[in-house]
Amino acid sequence: MKKTILTCLFLIFFSTSFADEMTINSLLKQGYKIKDDTIIKNAAGKINQKIITLINGKNYVVCTIKLNSLAGPSFQKCIKP
């Protein structure tokens, strides 16, 4: 009985956390369009970050992707200000 309750709570917690996660692909499917695409480089000329701004009417989202020359894109985070 305890295992069943803990399993249900675990699934509820993680299903809500994954539902809130925004990705660029999910935003494009929701009707957002890419407005701006900026690459930020460090002093050595290596690419560090890519910032993508998406817009849908008056709403906008800013997404950042950390880039590594050896491993490629490693992290993505989207924020609705």
Side-chain angles (χ1 to χ4, degrees), residues 1 4 6 15 17 20 25 39 41 46 60 64 72 75:
M1 182 68 178
T4 306
L6 290 174
S15 66
S17 66
D20 294 335
N25 286 336
I39 296 175
K41 299 179 182 181
K46 296 180 182 178
Y60 70 97
T64 59
F75 177 76

Side-chain angles (χ1 to χ4, degrees), residues 3 12 14 21 39 54 79:
K3 289 182 181 180
I12 290 170
F14 279 105
E21 184 176 331
I39 296 175
L54 297 107
I79 301 172

Side-chain angles (χ1 to χ4, degrees), residues 32-78:
Y32 282 84
K33 304 288 183 202
I34 296 176
K35 179 184 176 188
D36 190 28
D37 186 3
T38 307
I39 296 175
I40 298 175
K41 299 179 182 181
N42 67 3
K46 296 180 182 178
I47 299 172
N48 281 338
Q49 278 189 347
K50 186 171 190 175
I51 300 173
I52 300 171
T53 306
L54 297 107
I55 191 164
N56 187 4
K58 292 185 179 181
N59 300 323
Y60 70 97
V61 178
V62 178
C63 297
T64 59
I65 302 171
K66 291 186 180 180
L67 302 172
N68 185 338
S69 60
L70 298 176
S74 61
F75 177 76
Q76 177 183 344
K77 185 173 184 178
C78 296

Side-chain angles (χ1 to χ4, degrees), residues 23-34:
T23 62
I24 294 173
N25 286 336
S26 67
L27 292 168
L28 290 172
K29 288 178 184 177
Q30 292 175 12
Y32 282 84
K33 304 288 183 202
I34 296 176

